[in-house]
Amino acid sequence: MARPRAGAGLLVALLAFVVAAAAAAGGGGRKMASHGEGTDLKASPGAPAPAGGSAAQFRGQARLPRFATPRRYELRLRPDLVACTFTGSVAIAVVVSAPTRFLVLNAADLSVNRASIRFQSLAPTEVVFFKDDDVLVFGFSKQLPLGEGVLQMDYNGTLNDQMRGFYRSKYQYKGKERNMAVTQFESVDARRCFPCWDEPAFKAKFKLTVEVPSDLVALSNMPVANSTFAGPIKTVSFRESPLMSTYLLAVVVGLFDYVEGMTSKGTRVRVYTQIGKSNQGKFALDVAVKSLDLYKDYFDTAYPLPKLDMIAIPDFSAGAMENYGLVTYREVALLFDDKSSSESSKQNIAITVAHELAHQWFGNLVTMEWWTHLWLNEGFATWMSHLAVDSFFPQWNIWTQFLDGTTTALKLDALSESHPIEVEIHHASEVDQIFDAISYEKGASVIRMLQSYLGAERFQKALASYMKKFAYSNAKTEDLWAVLEKETGEPVKDLMTTWTKQKGYPVINAKIKGNDMEIEQAQFLSDGSSGPGTWIVPITSGCGYDTQKKFLLKLKRDKMVIPSQCSDRKKGGNFWTKLNINGTGFYRVKYDDELAAALLNALEAKKLSLMDRIGVVDDSHALSMARQQTMASLLRLLYAYRGETDYSVLSHVNSVTVSVARISVDATPSLAGDIKQLLIKILLPTAEKLGWDPKKGESHLDAMLRPLLLTALVQLGHGKTINEGIRRFNIFLRDRNTPLLPPDTRKTAYLSVMQNVSSSNRSGYDALRKVYRESAEGEERLNVLGILPSCRDKGIVLESLNFIFTDEVRNQDAYILLRGVQIEAREIAWNWLKENWERISKIFSTSSLLGDFVKTVVPLFTSNEKAAEISKFFATRTKPGFERTLKQSLENIRIGARWIEGIRSEPKLAQTVRELLGKP
Ligand code: BES
Ligand code: ZN
């Protein structure tokens, strides 16, 4: 399970930056930058005011000035793994291309030795640090010579515990705790490791040297050029890298084993793990080797580096990071253990590896010009990873599962607090929060939409020429459209700009008039209102899968002719039409009553594809939430999925049932029990068919469906399933290898156990804690962690939440525990969050983690009063990193409140529930 990307960002909780003035500098001694002020250390206070204004002009700017740009970095790092500090020295070949007396670059949390700073032979007369901007300005007494010169300096820093910049991670070796040194630079944290031009467009070559204890392994982007030993310390220098962005640089130092493979073109690939775990790297290795081969062919461009290493890091804030040639992962996103890993974890590993390796081309070789174009990285890697995994594991139906992402994005993008795919970035502190479902899943979805409009072959050809045109360089969104237009002759830019430069998406209202279909677009918002946006919409329609009608909707409303084979209204005839075939379009459809009834018939007659079965239920859920459709009609539709057996379809049906079950608790408490019974009735037949025990030779998808359905039943309070889960858990407690509880269903059993736990009956909870303690790290433990707070008992919920603060839970995993909080315990969790906020915001100051706390607890509520209370609480506590997440969560509460009002005013709801429950 990859970490959910936060949509929350980097905290501005910066430690003080110290510009250290060494003895000889003649500067003003050590000064701490005060908040919002530059620290001005004038070497010679009486120096004449030089041309080009003052250093203050560089404060508060979105981007660094471009009059001086780096070409090549020579970087030397000496980490001290015991003291958790490091020293560094950097020599940067800089090209000065316009008259200036300044050099302006980024740094954060580093102490630069003031006396060591030189540009060629010049020492700066002025060193100013703008702490809020991470900007370091060196002012010289006279204009710098145009052309290339070398800027150098020495500095030191801390190997921090914040999982960003140059940090330490802990691991066990021979029963003892050890530290490793790791980097995580995306988005804007390379500056925490060395002073640099820390923006993606400043590509440069890197020549790195590290001095580390002789017994440790040191890895970086490039292969080792040579190592020299001097007693306990070795100096490892790496080969010079090709042109690349700072956020992709990486270093890892620790004790590791590895497994190795080779691509068909002879590129060496390794997976590094903790000592003794290298077997668990084999699956990822296999996917990696295949991915490199596939992408090379797809882009018609060789893998750009001499080697690829992938490594599992015990403390890691994202799910994985695509550092050029040295990809870092959370352990659960890389390591697969036959005995303890589940099928869904296998799939996650495959997707994650394929995603990061897609970045080696899309992102690393061709890099976004600025963070506004982040989606070019993340949307494409997400889309490409599905293309690759589909080719390696066709039986996984991964394109059908892709719709999980599309529907997640549709949900987020139906908020007025959403943002366009191309989002303006005014400050580095805003970057981290755009790693969200808009950049990833909406980005990937509009790529799929475009590909299906242009055709796979033309699309691939154009991407290959884009890759060649911008290799070792940067591109903007428009650059991609220009190449696609040139290759295909289609109006790609006009079409796509409507999708990437404005937020939201349309709902297509479809009405049938004779043989004509009238279609009209309006921006869809979950709060029931309609936004001002209009799009160029690639509409597809059909009543079967042999032929499809394509239509480019450019106006607000238009008309399409329905093919005769789809409009035979006579008895026994074929009368139905589905728009947005296979969900390739990023929009929703609302049908008039006649079309909706016909579509329901087609669904019941099993005429719809898997993807269309997903689209229909997801649109219907969204329309119901926005009160454009009743809950009763949503339930009728859900009922048509009784007996459905496909994993992907049921996973969407399940998300809808979870949402319906939740809202009914608040909307119609007296009916909530019956609604749960109805939802059980829908899911039970297939769950019973699957049972608890894996069948020999069953498919990957069935293996994933089993825990999905059983867990849903436990959550809905299905007694028989709960009891069976408890029974199997008890056997598992005595025998951890029992075939009765293989990895796939363990979580379901744990959840069953929690259903009966209370402060006075806590043996199940204690047993789970024991399982947690005794499990090796990895998926096994996380399964328990995600379940611990899943009960209503105040004492137990609090005890499990406080578990976050202990050494037993890594900070990176806290969000998993939080996700286990049930709606019944929301008040307990909210009060806990308020009471502990100060502590939490200190420990989890890396904002994406902090955003997780907001995102998991806040949306559990559904009343306007609560939204007001939460909003008030955060009024003085919000940080740029999770501001948007908070607003989105609050908007979701208000949408829930409005939905509740609608449900309460439905006259026929109870009757519908009873009628469906009574059906044989
Ligand atoms: N570039 C990201 C990692 C990242 C995320 C860095 C957020 C900085 C902030 C990486 O390519 C990525 O997208 N990782 C995903 C996993 C992937 C399978 C979707 C992640 O970390 O969730
Ligand atoms: Zn990515």
Side-chain angles (χ1 to χ4, degrees):
M1 122 200 36
R3 235 186 61 69
R5 290 163 315 272
L10 190 68
L11 258 201
V12 205
L14 304 165
L15 300 173
F17 176 96
V18 182
V19 178
R30 288 172 75 98
K31 272 194 195 167
M32 299 281 273
S34 60
H35 187 78
E37 296 285 315
T39 308
D40 195 346
L41 302 180
K42 285 201 174 60
S44 43
S54 77
Q57 65 187 296
F58 306 114
R59 184 173 163 192
Q61 303 296 316
R63 298 178 70 164
L64 294 172
R66 309 186 65 91
F67 48 67
T69 53
R71 273 274 159 86
R72 181 172 183 273
Y73 291 81
E74 242 175 70
L75 176 61
R76 182 176 274 262
L77 294 170
R78 286 169 293 262
D80 180 335
L81 294 175
V82 179
C84 289
T85 56
F86 65 97
T87 60
S89 56
V90 65
I92 314 171
V94 176
V95 174
V96 179
S97 54
T100 179
R101 66 174 193 90
F102 294 107
L103 290 175
V104 186
L105 63 164
N106 297 113
D109 294 348
L110 299 174
S111 295
V112 178
N113 178 341
R114 174 73 169 77
S116 69
I117 307 166
R118 287 286 181 284
F119 181 65
Q120 301 294 76
S121 59
L122 301 172
T125 50
E126 211 185 333
V127 175
V128 185
F129 180 61
F130 296 114
K131 180 172 172 285
D132 285 354
D133 305 318
D134 302 339
V135 161
L136 187 55
V137 181
F138 299 144
F140 296 85
S141 60
K142 57 176 198 258
Q143 284 205 355
L144 302 174
L146 295 183
E148 193 169 308
V150 175
L151 171 69
Q152 51 187 12
M153 68 200 91
D154 303 332
Y155 60 93
N156 55 65
T158 314
L159 288 178
N160 69 69
D161 276 325
Q162 301 280 336
M163 297 183 269
R164 59 175 173 167
F166 201 14
Y167 71 94
R168 71 99 173 242
S169 172
K170 296 185 205 166
Y171 63 105
Q172 295 279 326
Y173 178 65
K174 293 193 172 157
K176 281 217 184 83
E177 191 173 86
R178 292 261 217 154
N179 293 329
M180 65 172 86
V182 190
T183 55
Q184 167 61 41
F185 288 169
E186 193 176 21
S187 315
V188 290
D189 292 323
R191 62 191 66 175
R192 289 169 198 283
C193 180
F194 62 108
C196 59
W197 274 255
D198 197 12
E199 292 177 10
F202 290 113
K203 285 199 175 184
K205 295 179 174 172
F206 292 84
K207 177 90 181 75
L208 197 77
T209 303
V210 294
E211 289 171 34
V212 297
S214 299
D215 58 328
L216 300 186
V217 177
L219 300 170
S220 183
N221 310 81
M222 297 296 288
V224 172
N226 77 72
S227 306
T228 52
F229 292 81
I233 296 290
K234 67 174 170 185
T235 301
V236 182
S237 68
F238 298 94
R239 277 161 60 182
E240 181 169 304
S241 79
L243 283 174
M244 60 182 276
S245 304
T246 46
Y247 78 91
L248 293 167
L249 201 73
V251 179
V252 179
V253 181
L255 271 179
F256 308 103
D257 274 348
Y258 64 82
V259 283
E260 182 176 301
M262 193 80 90
T263 67
S264 63
K265 280 273 177 284
T267 303
R268 195 200 76 199
V269 183
R270 283 182 182 168
V271 175
Y272 284 86
T273 68
Q274 288 190 42
I275 303 288
K277 281 198 196 171
S278 67
N279 259 337
Q280 298 182 19
K282 284 185 173 160
F283 177 70
L285 177 66
D286 183 48
V287 174
V289 168
K290 288 183 181 147
S291 299
L292 290 188
D293 281 334
L294 183 138
Y295 295 142
K296 167 190 67 67
D297 291 343
Y298 189 88
F299 294 123
D300 190 28
T301 303
Y303 172 69
L305 300 182
K307 60 93 181 170
L308 169 71
D309 292 325
M310 311 205 294
I311 186 163
I313 307 293
D315 300 275
F316 198 76
S317 81
M321 176 65 210
E322 70 266 26
N323 313 302
Y324 221 175
L326 175 55
V327 182
T328 43
Y329 295 82
R330 272 187 181 226
E331 295 193 332
V332 288
L334 186 69
L335 306 181
F336 184 82
D337 177 17
D338 280 325
K339 277 206 294 297
S340 66
S341 303
S342 63
E343 283 293 314
S344 65
S345 131
K346 184 178 212 170
Q347 181 177 308
N348 180 53
I349 292 167
I351 284 282
T352 308
V353 170
H355 175 111
E356 304 312 333
L357 299 195
H359 277 314
Q360 306 301 308
W361 284 260
F362 239 108
N364 301 8
L365 182 60
V366 178
T367 310
M368 69 225 149
E369 196 276 333
W370 177 240
W371 299 107
T372 297
H373 308 285
L374 173 72
W375 84 281
L376 280 181
N377 269 12
E378 299 304 347
F380 262 94
T382 300
W383 179 79
M384 290 287 309
S385 67
H386 287 76
L387 186 120
V389 168
D390 187 49
S391 113
F392 311 147
F393 305 99
Q395 70 281 17
W396 290 3
N397 275 355
I398 206 76
W399 281 115
T400 307
Q401 298 192 53
F402 178 88
L403 292 179
D404 288 357
T406 305
T407 55
T408 304
L410 285 167
K411 182 153 189 268
L412 180 57
D413 211 18
L415 300 180
S416 44
E417 291 291 348
S418 182
H419 64 84
I421 284 181
E422 290 184 67
V423 53
E424 258 191 73
I425 297 291
H426 306 96
H427 196 272
S429 63
E430 295 170 10
V431 177
D432 265 22
Q433 62 173 332
I434 60 172
F435 285 80
D436 64 358
I438 299 301
S439 302
Y440 281 71
E441 279 79 20
K442 184 180 181 183
S445 301
V446 301
I447 291 160
R448 176 167 177 255
M449 177 164 76
L450 180 63
Q451 188 220 25
S452 93
Y453 177 72
L454 296 175
E457 249 170 68
R458 289 206 288 176
F459 193 67
Q460 172 175 358
K461 244 184 101 214
L463 287 186
S465 58
Y466 166 83
M467 202 55 65
K468 288 175 188 140
K469 182 162 182 202
F470 294 97
Y472 301 104
S473 168
N474 297 80
K476 297 182 178 172
T477 306
E478 280 107 275
D479 295 324
L480 176 63
W481 301 155
V483 175
L484 281 158
E485 266 195 33
K486 190 157 165 258
E487 293 280 333
T488 65
E490 299 276 352
V492 175
K493 184 172 173 204
D494 286 349
L495 165 65
M496 291 309 287
T497 299
T498 67
W499 296 96
T500 60
K501 286 202 195 269
Q502 64 183 337
K503 66 181 174 185
Y505 59 87
V507 54
I508 305 293
N509 284 284
K511 290 197 181 80
I512 188 130
K513 291 261 162 68
N515 279 359
D516 281 346
M517 169 109 70
E518 290 181 2
I519 49 178
E520 177 175 350
Q521 60 167 308
Q523 183 176 356
F524 180 77
L525 288 163
S526 290
D527 67 6
S529 67
S530 171
T534 52
W535 287 261
I536 299 182
V537 193
I539 304 269
T540 51
S541 79
C543 60
Y545 295 89
D546 299 335
T547 52
Q548 260 181 51
K549 205 175 147 59
K550 294 192 175 188
F551 182 84
L552 206 53
L553 175 65
K554 294 185 179 145
L555 308 169
K556 176 105 179 124
R557 55 182 76 80
D558 214 326
K559 221 182 249 174
M560 288 164 67
V561 182
I562 306 247
S564 57
Q565 77 265 22
C566 306
S567 55
D568 180 4
R569 285 185 176 74
K570 286 195 296 285
K571 224 182 153 56
N574 195 25
F575 173 70
W576 61 277
T577 290
K578 163 98 183 31
L579 297 191
N580 196 12
I581 298 292
N582 287 334
T584 51
F586 195 76
Y587 55 89
R588 296 196 185 280
V589 185
K590 184 180 179 201
Y591 300 93
D592 70 10
D593 291 347
E594 194 182 0
L595 285 166
L599 198 56
L600 183 60
N601 282 338
L603 176 76
E604 284 168 341
K606 308 225 176 309
K607 289 184 178 167
L608 300 188
S609 68
L610 298 178
M611 291 181 185
D612 282 336
R613 263 131 72 194
I614 291 170
V616 167
V617 73
D618 195 67
D619 280 357
S620 184
H621 175 235
L623 289 167
S624 166
M625 204 182 234
R627 290 170 58 176
Q628 297 191 29
Q629 195 188 297
T630 60
M631 173 64 98
S633 69
L634 176 61
L635 290 176
R636 274 186 201 286
L637 177 76
L638 271 177
Y639 197 80
Y641 288 82
R642 193 168 177 235
E644 170 67 57
T645 57
D646 178 75
Y647 165 76
S648 296
V649 178
L650 280 170
S651 109
H652 285 266
V653 168
N654 178 51
S655 316
V656 176
T657 55
V658 168
S659 160
V660 167
R662 268 197 184 180
I663 204 74
S664 63
V665 169
D666 290 332
T668 52
S670 60
L671 205 56
D674 281 352
I675 289 181
K676 280 189 180 169
Q677 287 314 308
L678 177 60
L679 299 173
I680 290 174
K681 188 179 172 192
I682 294 168
L683 301 175
L684 194 59
T686 305
E688 282 183 331
K689 233 184 260 163
L690 282 168
W692 278 79
D693 297 309
K695 308 221 168 35
K696 233 184 144 190
E698 75 184 353
S699 70
H700 167 77
L701 293 173
D702 278 352
M704 294 209 298
L705 179 57
R706 175 174 298 109
L708 177 90
L709 290 179
L710 293 177
T711 302
L713 291 174
V714 171
Q715 260 157 352
L716 290 166
H718 187 244
K720 199 173 149 211
T721 309
I722 293 173
N723 290 338
E724 183 60 14
I726 295 172
R727 185 181 80 85
R728 288 178 186 248
F729 179 73
N730 287 331
I731 296 169
F732 171 75
L733 272 187
R734 291 192 297 272
D735 170 14
R736 295 291 157 83
N737 295 316
T738 173
L740 290 180
L741 206 55
D744 286 310
T745 39
R746 264 173 220 166
K747 226 169 138 177
T748 312
Y750 300 162
L751 188 64
S752 308
V753 169
M754 284 308 296
Q755 302 309 302
N756 289 349
V757 159
S758 66
S759 294
S760 55
N761 176 23
R762 50 177 294 145
S763 61
Y765 178 79
D766 291 332
L768 280 168
R769 286 279 288 260
K770 186 159 175 274
V771 171
Y772 180 83
R773 234 174 303 142
E774 289 171 7
S775 310
E777 301 218 27
E779 193 189 355
E780 186 96 9
R781 299 189 107 200
L782 300 188
N783 279 341
V784 180
L785 205 55
I787 296 297
L788 284 180
S790 301
C791 82
R792 297 153 190 243
D793 183 277
K794 189 171 173 190
I796 297 286
V797 173
L798 286 177
E799 189 177 326
S800 65
L801 289 172
N802 286 325
F803 195 37
I804 286 177
F805 298 130
T806 70
D807 281 349
E808 284 188 79
V809 181
R810 290 187 192 261
N811 289 353
Q812 63 165 12
D813 296 330
Y815 79 96
I816 294 173
L817 192 146
L818 284 169
R819 277 206 212 151
V821 174
Q822 304 290 302
I823 191 162
E824 292 82 3
R826 61 191 169 188
E827 278 299 342
I828 305 168
W830 168 237
N831 286 327
W832 173 85
L833 191 64
K834 277 193 295 191
E835 275 158 28
N836 291 284
W837 183 254
E838 217 140 287
R839 186 173 181 192
I840 291 167
S841 59
K842 243 187 228 131
I843 304 174
F844 296 88
S845 63
T846 312
S847 53
S848 65
L849 295 171
L850 202 51
D852 292 337
F853 283 78
V854 174
K855 217 172 30 184
T856 45
V857 177
V858 174
L860 295 172
F861 292 98
T862 54
S863 80
N864 290 324
E865 298 70 46
K866 204 70 195 183
E869 181 198 324
I870 294 170
S871 171
K872 194 166 159 229
F873 175 80
F874 282 112
T876 53
R877 294 173 175 89
T878 183
K879 309 238 162 99
F882 66 87
E883 204 179 344
R884 202 192 319 261
T885 305
L886 176 64
K887 284 184 183 158
Q888 289 165 345
S889 300
L890 291 169
E891 190 177 348
N892 274 321
I893 298 187
R894 297 194 176 102
I895 288 163
R898 187 175 170 276
W899 191 17
I900 287 173
E901 275 173 39
I903 295 169
R904 286 187 184 150
S905 67
E906 274 186 42
K908 286 195 188 139
L909 183 57
Q911 192 189 324
T912 306
V913 173
R914 251 176 276 125
E915 180 200 319
L916 293 172
L917 268 177
K919 276 196 178 183

Coordinates of all heavy atoms in Angstrom, one line a residue, residues 22 133 210 222 307 430 451 491 577 658:
A22 N 32.9 32.1 9.9 CA 34.1 31.6 10.5 C 35.0 32.7 11.0 O 34.9 33.9 10.6 CB 34.8 30.7 9.5
D133 N 11.9 31.9 2.3 CA 11.9 31.5 0.9 C 13.0 30.5 0.7 O 13.2 30.0 -0.5 CB 12.3 32.8 0.0 CG 11.3 33.9 0.3 OD1 10.0 33.6 0.4 OD2 11.7 35.0 0.4
V210 N 31.3 10.6 -1.5 CA 30.9 10.5 -0.1 C 32.0 9.9 0.7 O 32.7 9.0 0.2 CB 29.6 9.7 0.1 CG1 28.4 10.4 -0.5 CG2 29.7 8.3 -0.5
M222 N 24.5 7.3 -9.9 CA 25.5 6.7 -10.9 C 26.3 5.6 -10.2 O 26.4 5.5 -9.0 CB 26.4 7.8 -11.4 CG 25.7 8.9 -12.1 SD 24.9 8.4 -13.6 CE 26.3 8.1 -14.7
K307 N 23.1 2.1 -14.9 CA 22.5 1.1 -14.0 C 21.3 1.6 -13.4 O 21.0 2.8 -13.4 CB 23.6 0.7 -12.9 CG 24.0 1.9 -12.0 CD 23.1 2.1 -10.7 CE 23.6 3.2 -9.9 NZ 22.7 3.6 -8.8
E430 N 4.1 25.8 -1.6 CA 2.8 25.3 -2.2 C 3.0 24.1 -3.0 O 2.0 23.5 -3.4 CB 2.2 26.4 -3.1 CG 1.9 27.7 -2.4 CD 1.5 28.8 -3.4 OE1 1.4 28.6 -4.6 OE2 1.4 30.0 -2.9
Q451 N -5.7 9.6 -25.4 CA -5.2 8.5 -26.2 C -6.4 7.8 -26.9 O -6.2 7.4 -28.0 CB -4.5 7.5 -25.2 CG -3.8 6.4 -26.0 CD -3.9 5.0 -25.4 OE1 -4.8 4.8 -24.6 NE2 -3.0 4.1 -25.7
P491 N -6.8 18.9 -33.3 CA -6.7 20.2 -32.5 C -6.4 19.8 -31.0 O -7.3 20.2 -30.1 CB -8.1 20.8 -32.7 CG -9.0 19.6 -32.9 CD -8.2 18.6 -33.7
T577 N -28.8 3.1 -24.7 CA -27.6 3.8 -25.1 C -26.8 4.2 -23.9 O -27.3 4.7 -23.0 CB -27.9 5.0 -26.0 OG1 -28.5 4.6 -27.2 CG2 -26.6 5.8 -26.2
V658 N -20.4 1.5 1.3 CA -19.8 2.1 2.5 C -20.4 3.5 2.7 O -20.8 3.9 3.7 CB -18.3 2.1 2.4 CG1 -17.7 3.0 3.5 CG2 -17.7 0.7 2.5

